[in-house]
Amino acid sequence: MFRLRKLSFCITLIFLSSLFLTNFFVISTKASIDKTNNILVKPAFMDLGRVGNNSLSVTASVTNEGDENTFTANVDGNGKEFVSFDPQSFELKKGETKEVKVNINNSDKLPIGPYDYSVTFLKKSNNDNFLSTTTSNSLRIKFIKEGIDVASIRVTDVNKPAPANFYIIFANFKSTEETINSTVSIVSKEDGKEMANFNENINMKPYPDNGFYGIMKFDWETKEVEMGDYIVKYKAIKADGTVLEGEKPFSVGELKGNLTSIDIKDTYKGENLKISAKVSNVGNLKLPTTFNVVIKNTDGEEVFKDEKSVTIDPGNEENLVSEWSTNDAKVGEYVAEYKVKMGDEVISNSVTFKVLNSYTLHIIIGIILIILLIIFIIIAQKKHKKEE
């Protein structure tokens, strides 16, 4: 009898399990079907190759395979501010298709380099105030704005007597290997006197080959140079005779800061613990300053860390403040390890402080004692009257 019951229980369990799995499969399949996009964009990819200053326009075909709705064009990618659509928004019934022009505007002002846009069309939600996150498949548009340009220039303030280690990086986005003749001069901002001059031929392979970057390094010794303001001027002549030029100012001086004070005090639990570092710029260059704090308990466990950064102008002072909420902190002793970096100089140390019992508890205890005292006085007075 027991075996029959056990067998019946097993059969029932298997049946219920199979029923559950079948329903789960149906629900999962339905959920997968419900997530179908229903917005189709063709083509999915366009590579326009290398382009010049001529205007650009391509056509995308948008098909609505779902219910009637309003669609809005959207673009992501570097330089998206140069992209517009015609039309930007439009309505489509089920099965309808719309031709949308994707325009690259002001191509002559478009910076030289590679571009990779992702174009999608967003479906309007039931709420007229916003667009839903439901989008079409993306149309990817790639092209290269042809030319040679300055990709990066490193010219910074110099802490005398350290040498000025400067460089300019050129990039070749043309289809052929290119050579440019680059001249760099350092001049005094005060009187325009040339302090140094550098010249070099820079060879670059075409993008995206390795070596499409060309680097011109120029080091300038400042030991015998007076503190003051200077300008780096560069002029690069391309193979076709066109000129690429620009300038960037910098200063030679003293990068020096003074850590005036570190302030940290015992704090009641529940209050914000404030840790502040006051730094003054006593040099004549802008002073990049970083204040790093790590708080540890008596077991050496890290309970808080923070970092504050600021650039201080010459002659100015800044107070960098970190705050730690002690709501969840245990009452007891802690150590704050701090590091202040002022330019190239680093000062580090540690300060011990305490998280004290909340003053709220003290107030409650005080109120209870006052109430007990009042009750004691009342009882004493009644007892005294009875005795009379």
Side-chain angles (χ1 to χ4, degrees):
M1 188 70 175
F2 175 79
R3 288 182 179 178
L4 288 174
R5 288 181 179 178
K6 186 175 180 180
L7 181 60
S8 176
F9 175 79
C10 290
I11 292 172
T12 303
L13 184 61
I14 292 170
F15 173 77
L16 291 174
S17 298
S18 63
L19 185 63
F20 172 79
L21 289 172
T22 301
N23 288 336
F24 177 79
F25 176 78
V26 171
I27 293 169
S28 299
T29 304
K30 184 176 185 301
S32 177
I33 292 172
D34 288 344
K35 290 182 179 179
T36 303
N37 206 317
N38 295 330
I39 316 167
L40 184 63
V41 179
K42 292 182 179 179
F45 177 72
M46 291 184 184
D47 189 344
L48 307 182
R50 283 180 166 82
V51 302
N53 292 329
N54 53 302
S55 59
L56 295 174
S57 181
V58 298
T59 301
S61 174
V62 184
T63 302
N64 178 23
E65 297 178 345
D67 296 333
E68 181 179 356
N69 213 311
T70 300
F71 301 87
T72 300
N74 178 67
V75 61
D76 287 309
N78 182 41
K80 65 181 182 180
E81 63 273 14
F82 288 89
V83 179
S84 67
F85 300 93
D86 183 22
Q88 175 82 32
S89 295
F90 51 90
E91 292 184 0
L92 284 179
K93 295 180 180 178
K94 185 174 182 178
E96 284 188 337
T97 298
K98 184 75 175 178
E99 301 291 319
V100 178
K101 280 190 176 182
V102 184
N103 304 306
I104 314 296
N105 306 306
N106 302 319
S107 299
D108 56 325
K109 296 181 176 62
L110 189 69
I112 292 169
Y115 291 86
D116 193 340
Y117 293 126
S118 176
V119 176
T120 54
F121 294 86
L122 294 91
K123 184 191 295 184
K124 194 171 185 180
S125 70
N126 293 329
N127 188 332
D128 292 336
N129 295 325
F130 64 91
L131 296 175
S132 71
T133 55
T134 304
T135 63
S136 64
N137 62 299
S138 64
L139 161 59
R140 186 181 177 191
I141 302 175
K142 288 184 65 178
F143 64 90
I144 298 170
K145 175 65 181 294
E146 199 170 40
I148 298 173
D149 202 5
V150 174
S152 176
I153 177 169
R154 184 186 186 275
V155 174
T156 61
D157 291 343
V158 183
N159 184 21
K160 186 178 176 176
N165 303 125
F166 298 154
Y167 62 76
I168 299 177
I169 300 178
F170 298 95
N172 176 25
F173 292 101
K174 300 186 78 172
S175 59
T176 58
E177 188 170 333
E178 297 287 333
T179 299
I180 59 172
N181 181 262
S182 180
T183 300
V184 172
S185 59
I186 298 176
V187 300
S188 169
K189 191 175 182 179
E190 184 179 356
D191 55 15
K193 180 182 177 182
E194 185 174 270
M195 310 300 296
N197 186 280
F198 310 87
N199 181 266
E200 187 178 346
N201 285 325
I202 310 295
N203 300 310
M204 295 169 287
K205 292 182 179 180
Y207 177 85
D209 290 350
N210 290 332
F212 77 94
Y213 281 122
I215 303 176
M216 181 181 182
K217 296 180 180 180
F218 49 102
D219 299 336
W220 184 46
E221 291 293 337
T222 64
K223 290 179 181 178
E224 307 301 325
V225 174
E226 292 184 3
M227 293 185 183
D229 297 323
Y230 296 86
I231 302 172
V232 165
K233 295 185 176 181
Y234 65 87
K235 184 177 182 179
I237 302 176
K238 305 177 188 179
D240 60 3
T242 58
V243 175
L244 183 68
E245 58 186 340
E247 60 181 47
K248 192 166 183 180
F250 70 100
S251 298
V252 174
E254 186 179 25
L255 191 67
K256 187 171 179 60
N258 181 35
L259 179 59
T260 307
S261 65
I262 289 286
D263 185 46
I264 181 169
K265 298 176 182 177
D266 293 345
T267 304
Y268 288 107
K269 180 179 172 65
E271 293 183 345
N272 283 353
L273 172 75
K274 292 186 178 181
I275 311 156
S276 63
K278 191 173 288 187
V279 178
S280 56
N281 184 351
V282 295
N284 61 347
L285 300 177
K286 289 187 176 182
L287 183 68
T289 306
T290 303
F291 179 41
N292 186 281
V293 179
V294 176
I295 295 178
K296 297 179 180 179
N297 58 24
T298 52
D299 295 327
E301 298 171 333
E302 185 179 296
V303 296
F304 173 79
K305 67 185 300 184
D306 190 25
E307 183 177 283
K308 304 293 181 185
S309 296
V310 69
T311 299
I312 308 174
D313 290 330
N316 287 1
E317 186 177 65
E318 290 283 347
N319 196 30
L320 291 83
V321 181
S322 286
E323 292 192 33
W324 174 41
S325 173
T326 63
N327 287 330
D328 300 323
K330 293 181 180 179
V331 173
E333 193 172 90
Y334 293 84
V335 175
E337 298 175 351
Y338 66 86
K339 182 187 295 181
V340 181
K341 184 177 182 181
M342 302 170 291
D344 299 326
E345 183 183 8
V346 177
I347 296 177
S348 58
N349 209 332
S350 62
V351 178
T352 302
F353 67 95
K354 293 179 180 178
V355 173
L356 307 172
N357 276 319
S358 173
Y359 64 87
T360 304
L361 180 61
H362 296 163
I363 292 173
I364 293 172
I365 293 173
I367 292 173
I368 292 173
L369 290 174
I370 291 171
I371 293 172
L372 290 175
L373 180 61
I374 293 172
I375 293 172
F376 176 77
I377 293 172
I378 292 172
I379 292 173
Q381 286 178 344
K382 287 182 178 181
K383 186 177 179 181
H384 180 69
K385 285 181 180 180
K386 286 182 180 180
E387 290 178 352
E388 291 180 349

